Amino acid sequence: MRIFHDKRSAHRGKYFNFKVDGEYELFPHALQQPHPPIFLAGATERSIAVAGRMGFGLMLSTWTPFEELARQTAAYRQHLEETPQRLRSNPGRGKIDVARWTYVAETDAKARAESETGIMRHLQHFAGGHTSGYLGTVSQGGATGQRDYDMLSRDIILHGSPSTVLEKIERLRDMTGATSVMLHYPPWYGVEKVLASLELFATEVAPKLRGKEPVRKRA
């Protein structure tokens, strides 16, 4: 962060050393000042706290249920109060991006018929041993485990008709105050289905979200 702010810095630590000073500085200089928006992907209490204290925007996991997302975003906002003044100019500070698996079809039944096999296969693969290091952190909030399609559809994935997906996003926004949603489209649905889903989202969902502010319940 010092390099972004000052264009020069020096560090001697346990794992690496560097020095950028004298005739040397960070190039190219950022068009946005003091730097572009910087986000941190968080899934644990520690990483979410770091995001708040360092003034980073927060990116949250694909598999975390809505209720746990609400708890995580509330904790993040509390830690934002600890951001040093020098780091509060990050354009991403206070912004929250939530990643979600998304599939839009004309009806809920069609969305399920076209996506259920793929999303459940992906969940099984994702919970395999080769990802356990990451998954062990995101599953603390009940993100994975013995879940069927109905459970996923209730508060994790954004699958369904345009009206269903719109309702889920509005509920997610009201519960968490999320400022953006990162849509994930797995490849196994096929190009034609993915393009059709994207078109439905762009024409039937996104326009109805513009200009709406989250309505979060305050304690």
Side-chain angles (χ1 to χ4, degrees), residues 60-98:
L60 291 170
S61 168
T62 309
W63 293 114
T64 308
F66 286 12
E67 289 289 346
E68 177 63 10
L69 287 174
R71 188 196 68 78
Q72 290 177 341
T73 54
Y76 168 65
R77 291 189 178 91
Q78 288 181 340
H79 287 292
L80 282 174
E81 298 176 6
E82 304 169 23
T83 309
Q85 192 62 41
R86 177 176 172 80
L87 299 179
R88 295 193 173 208
S89 55
N90 176 8
R93 180 176 179 269
K95 292 184 169 58
I96 299 170
D97 179 83
V98 179

Side-chain angles (χ1 to χ4, degrees), residues 37-204:
I38 299 177
F39 284 71
L40 177 70
T44 64
E45 290 185 8
R46 179 173 178 267
S47 57
I48 290 168
V50 168
R53 288 196 296 266
M54 292 293 292
F56 296 136
L58 179 63
M59 299 177 68
L60 291 170
S61 168
T62 309
W63 293 114
T64 308
F66 286 12
E67 289 289 346
E68 177 63 10
L69 287 174
R71 188 196 68 78
Q72 290 177 341
T73 54
Y76 168 65
R77 291 189 178 91
Q78 288 181 340
H79 287 292
L80 282 174
E81 298 176 6
E82 304 169 23
T83 309
Q85 192 62 41
R86 177 176 172 80
L87 299 179
R88 295 193 173 208
S89 55
N90 176 8
R93 180 176 179 269
K95 292 184 169 58
I96 299 170
D97 179 83
V98 179
R100 294 285 100 170
W101 298 104
T102 305
Y103 194 90
V104 190
E106 285 81 0
T107 65
D108 291 346
K110 184 177 181 182
R112 179 169 189 161
E114 294 178 350
S115 69
E116 181 175 8
T117 300
I119 197 69
M120 297 310 297
R121 183 171 63 237
H122 178 73
L123 176 60
Q124 182 180 13
H125 171 76
F126 197 70
H130 62 290
T131 59
S132 60
Y134 165 72
L135 203 58
T137 61
V138 300
S139 62
Q140 291 173 1
T144 58
Q146 298 301 316
R147 283 183 169 267
D148 57 22
Y149 185 89
D150 290 325
M151 297 174 72
L152 291 175
S153 185
R154 188 157 50 245
D155 65 355
I156 293 181
I157 59 177
L158 304 180
H159 285 206
S161 66
S163 60
T164 295
V165 172
L166 177 64
E167 184 276 329
K168 289 181 180 181
I169 293 176
E170 290 181 331
R171 181 160 57 93
L172 176 65
R173 182 176 55 187
D174 291 344
M175 291 178 68
T176 67
T179 51
S180 60
V181 177
M182 183 187 300
L183 307 184
H184 282 215
Y185 283 86
W188 54 73
Y189 300 142
V191 174
E192 290 184 3
K193 290 179 180 177
V194 170
L195 288 177
S197 177
L198 278 169
E199 184 172 359
L200 277 174
F201 187 93
T203 59
E204 301 295 332

